[in-house]
């Protein structure tokens, strides 16, 4: 009988944003470029909640610029809607942070999905790209159950 490997935990966080008038276009729907901002709102909430915020990274001398982003629009959001952003960390052995996003309207309809990829660069030196995960990131992954102690 084949032994089942224990599954990794799903590390996610949910946050809410109210759609502001300035975020809509002349049609009264959210302009497509604003979804990237909603992803950032979700990612920042995720980081603060799980102890891997931009300020936490900076404390260790790193920045994590986005090198790739994608969105898939399914339905519109409108002025006054309350959007729920689910931010999910996608584990990878590489020295990068991958987040997947699901944005829902107040009726719980999926309106947008997306993904961002961030890499680690050294803020102390010349901004060099790290090809191996930094120690603080490995420690964080252990603390949330993605790596064994």
């Amino acid at each position: 009988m084949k032994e089942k490997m224990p599954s990794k935990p799903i590390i996610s966080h949910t946050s809410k944003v109210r759609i502001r008038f300035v975020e809509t276009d002349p049609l009264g729907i959210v302009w497509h470029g604003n979804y990237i901002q909603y992803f950032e709102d979700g990612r920042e909430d995720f980081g603060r909640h799980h102890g891997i915020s931009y300020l936490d990274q900076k404390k260790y001398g790193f920045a994590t610029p986005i090198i790739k982003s994608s969105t898939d629009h399914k339905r519109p959001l409108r002025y006054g809607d309350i959007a729920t952003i689910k931010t999910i960390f996608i584990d990878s052995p590489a020295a990068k942070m991958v987040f997947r996003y699901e944005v829902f309207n107040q009726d719980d309809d999926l309106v947008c999905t997306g993904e961002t990829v961030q890499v680690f660069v050294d803020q102390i030196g010349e901004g060099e790209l790290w090809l191996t995960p930094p120690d603080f990131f490995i420690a964080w992954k252990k603390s949330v159950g993605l790596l064994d102690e």
Side-chain angles (χ1 to χ4, degrees):
M1 181 189 281
K2 204 172 190 179
E3 206 174 298
K4 267 188 152 179
M5 295 295 290
S7 62
K8 292 181 181 181
I10 296 172
I11 311 301
S12 66
H13 185 70
T14 302
S15 51
K16 295 191 182 287
V17 296
R18 179 178 295 278
I19 305 307
R20 301 178 314 153
F21 179 77
V22 71
E23 296 165 340
T24 61
D25 65 14
L27 298 174
I29 62 175
V30 169
W31 178 67
H32 68 278
N34 284 322
Y35 287 87
I36 296 293
Q37 178 64 49
Y38 302 151
F39 294 172
E40 183 170 353
D41 292 340
R43 194 171 55 252
E44 286 195 13
D45 280 352
F46 176 99
R48 285 188 296 272
H49 181 80
H50 288 290
I52 192 80
S53 72
Y54 290 129
L55 291 175
D56 293 318
Q57 297 166 36
K58 186 176 181 177
K59 174 174 60 176
Y60 292 102
F62 287 90
T64 51
I66 291 176
I67 60 164
K68 181 180 178 185
S69 63
S70 64
T71 58
D72 186 14
H73 304 274
K74 304 186 180 297
R75 295 171 177 248
L77 284 171
R78 301 181 186 287
Y79 170 64
D81 284 354
I82 306 288
T84 300
I85 306 153
K86 183 174 184 183
T87 305
I88 306 153
F89 179 78
I90 306 301
D91 193 26
S92 165
K96 63 182 178 181
M97 297 178 74
V98 180
F99 290 97
R100 198 160 288 143
Y101 308 92
E102 297 172 348
V103 181
F104 299 88
N105 65 17
Q106 66 270 6
D107 296 325
D108 212 27
D109 297 322
L110 183 63
V111 299
C112 184
T113 59
E115 186 173 285
T116 56
V117 178
Q118 296 169 262
V119 295
F120 293 94
V121 295
D122 185 343
Q123 277 195 318
I124 297 170
E126 299 292 319
E128 293 182 26
L129 174 67
W130 275 54
L131 301 178
T132 57
D135 289 343
F136 83 91
F137 187 53
I138 292 170
W140 176 78
K141 287 174 116 180
K142 287 178 181 178
S143 76
V144 296
L146 293 174
L147 290 176
D148 294 330
E149 291 293 327

